[in-house]
Amino acid sequence: MSLEQMREEINQIDQELVDLFRRRMELSKSIGAYKQANQLPVQDPARERELLGRVAEQAGEELSEYAQSVYQTILAVSRSYQNAESTRRSGTYQQIQAMLEKTPELFPQRSSVACQGVEGAFSQLACQRLFKLPNIMFFQSFEHVFKAVESGMCQFGVLPIENSTAGSVNKIYDLMLEHNFFIVRSARLKVSHNLLVKPGVKLEDIREIYSHEQAINQCSDFLGTLKDVKITVCENTAVAAQMVSQSDRRDIAAISSRLCAEQYSLQRLKTSVQNQGSNYTRFICISKTPQIYPGADKTSIMMIVPHRPGSLSHILTKFSILGINLTKLESRPLPEREFEFMFYFDLEASVYAPEMERLFLDLESECETIRYLGSYSEIIG
């Protein structure tokens, strides 16, 4: 057979497959209606295991894994179709609708905001991008920022969550498991790091450099060129600049911002020492009160999926089926549960889009736990 003839035969087989798929989905729809009428769950794990085992056996040893992979997708699509045709409502989406009705039309410009560090921290710069006149309160740690918002001491908190060079701020994701909050806005801030010293100090004089772990990672190429220099991690880049300014030593430096150079009367011995020129850090703005402001086109959720093979793959299929772009997937170990994880997702979709309710309906039927963290817009600057 020629290539054209083989392709024509495949076209005919595809037509048969599509016809069979339509028949299968119609039956799936009827089964979904029966389950709803009899208050049965959409997913039946025992039935699916039996079906996949049978399909693998029928396909033969060479094609068994391929057949199972195809049918896992068909089953995921069938469950989504059953959910779409049901009259059930998503509890999470109903929560979102209530938030939309209660949230003011304008994002507040004046408010009390918690930031980690001291004057000059990058969190402060992000805060000033998010608010026109923020009343900033500085705290020693990220955990204290969460607690300040959770207790009502501050209405909002601003926290770094990821960097384009160094990746995720794992400490933030771990703290997310422990605290109650909602993300109401985010900011993507271009970050330029500088080597700050006391006036007159030369590069060859430096024996120790202070900075935050993320900043150190972002400047690893430059730091790798220095010999016999100790790198010391501290809680914040602004704290590092403050330590250099207040110390009697003249053999220390800080990796910090231009603002901190001005704030603490330090000299910028080297500028833009980060590995990449396009170095961005993303910050989230959190609140104790659930709020969704107009223009929200990003959504963040956390979930625990069943601890069995293929569970995460099934979840990811949901986003593909509904055409929802997944921009972030992060996993963090669950305390006291060996080799099990909480998964964090960032979605790029309007909160008003109809497919969002379908997504939450699908996720609620298949996840062990789902936690909605908020829908929001992002400022880039």
Side-chain angles (χ1 to χ4, degrees), residues 204-269:
E204 56 266 27
D205 298 331
I206 298 172
R207 291 293 173 264
E208 187 171 9
I209 295 176
Y210 298 99
S211 196
H212 185 266
E213 182 180 11
Q214 280 274 324
I216 291 170
N217 291 336
Q218 293 164 31
C219 303
S220 59
D221 292 347
F222 167 72
L223 294 174
T225 65
L226 305 178
K227 296 181 179 180
D228 300 321
V229 176
K230 181 181 178 182
I231 309 300
T232 300
V233 174
C234 60
E235 58 264 33
N236 189 272
T237 56
V239 169
Q242 186 184 61
M243 290 169 62
V244 172
S245 176
Q246 295 177 352
S247 174
D248 294 330
R249 294 173 60 183
R250 292 186 60 81
D251 62 347
I252 58 174
I255 290 178
S256 192
S257 68
R258 179 174 182 173
L259 176 63
C260 282
E262 299 169 358
Q263 180 73 36
Y264 298 105
S265 301
L266 297 174
Q267 175 187 343
R268 292 196 296 156
L269 187 59

Side-chain angles (χ1 to χ4, degrees), residues 6 58 65 69 207 216 291:
M6 288 187 286
Q58 291 171 343
E65 292 183 0
S69 178
R207 291 293 173 264
I216 291 170
Q291 301 166 346

Side-chain angles (χ1 to χ4, degrees), residues 54-67:
R54 186 176 68 252
V55 164
E57 184 178 352
Q58 291 171 343
E61 184 176 351
E62 184 178 356
L63 296 176
S64 61
E65 292 183 0
Y66 298 101

Side-chain angles (χ1 to χ4, degrees), residues 118-130:
V118 295
E119 197 76 30
F122 283 110
S123 291
Q124 176 189 345
L125 298 177
C127 182
Q128 290 169 341
R129 290 287 296 142
L130 290 162

